[in-house]
């Protein structure tokens, strides 16, 4: 693995931060590259060196949600409590509010959209690795089901199609995923 150029990492971080600040004031579809690069203090050409378009930047800026979700779902050790979500999953759902509009723009109902694809890919890969490590014969099937269930419920919840508060939805999705993992 090649080490990332620190200057490029700083530039991408500035662009991500600027996008989150812009999206706190207006929907993603109203954000323009000109305003974004002005806020980030970089040139327009620099933006395009790092990102193909605003959606690519937005997905990168929201990639932390993917890592947080994957980590939260795998934060338990030993035998999982089948009813109560782990604290990391509770914190994940509680922490979505500040940028919920941006997440909704990138994660459609049913778990689709550019952020949904990244979430599904990363969650499936993590689940598959853990199921294979445990020697589960149904590893690919359960990994796909876990990824689709979580991305779908998250997308529906963010879009108001599932009526529950953050704590309630965390426990409900946890129960679904535990059931998938324990099914034969």
């Amino acid at each position: 693995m090649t080490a990332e150029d620190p200057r490029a990492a700083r530039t991408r971080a500035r662009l991500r931060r600027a996008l989150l600040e812009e999206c706190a004031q207006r929907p993603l579809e109203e954000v323009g590259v000109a305003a974004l690069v002005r806020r980030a203090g970089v040139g327009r050409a620099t933006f395009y060196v790092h990102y193909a378009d605003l959606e690519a930047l937005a997905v990168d800026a929201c990639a932390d949600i993917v890592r947080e979700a994957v980590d939260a779902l795998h934060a338990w050790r030993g035998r999982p409590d089948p009813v109560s979500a782990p604290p990391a999953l509770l914190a994940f759902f509680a922490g979505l509010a500040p940028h919920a509009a941006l997440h909704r723009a990138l994660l459609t109902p049913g778990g689709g959209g550019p952020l949904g694809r990244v979430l599904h890919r990363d969650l499936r890969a993590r689940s598959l690795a853990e199921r294979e490590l445990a020697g589960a014969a149904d590893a690919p099937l359960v990994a796909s089901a876990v990824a689709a269930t979580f991305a779908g419920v998250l997308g529906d919840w963010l879009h108001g199609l599932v009526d529950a508060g953050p704590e309630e939805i965390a426990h409900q999705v946890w129960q679904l995923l535990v059931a998938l993992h324990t099914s034969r």
Side-chain angles (χ1 to χ4, degrees), residues 11-164:
T11 299
R12 282 193 294 280
R14 289 170 69 182
L15 288 165
R16 288 189 302 266
R17 190 171 39 256
L19 179 75
L20 293 174
E21 291 168 1
E22 286 288 322
C23 287
Q25 298 175 353
R26 63 188 56 79
L28 177 61
E29 59 271 5
E30 294 178 14
V31 173
V33 173
L36 179 77
V37 297
R38 214 175 12 262
R39 182 182 288 269
V42 302
R44 190 176 187 94
T46 300
F47 170 84
Y48 287 108
V49 165
H50 296 283
Y51 298 101
D53 54 26
L54 281 172
E55 184 179 276
L57 169 59
V59 170
D60 187 38
C62 291
D64 284 344
I65 187 179
V66 172
R67 286 186 288 280
E68 289 171 18
V70 172
D71 289 346
L73 287 172
H74 294 89
W76 56 275
R77 291 293 169 247
R79 190 168 181 87
D81 179 336
V83 177
S84 298
L89 189 59
L90 292 165
F92 167 76
F93 276 99
L96 288 174
H99 300 292
L102 179 57
H103 298 318
R104 278 191 297 274
L106 300 170
L107 182 66
T108 60
L115 188 59
R117 288 187 293 275
V118 173
L119 177 59
H120 187 277
R121 180 197 67 216
D122 291 359
L123 185 52
R124 185 184 187 286
R126 178 86 169 262
S127 184
L128 181 63
E130 290 191 5
R131 299 286 295 169
E132 287 175 339
L133 186 63
D138 60 353
L141 177 66
V142 172
S144 291
V146 164
T149 298
F150 186 78
V153 170
L154 178 60
D156 286 357
W157 181 70
L158 284 169
H159 284 276
L161 301 175
V162 176
D163 186 24

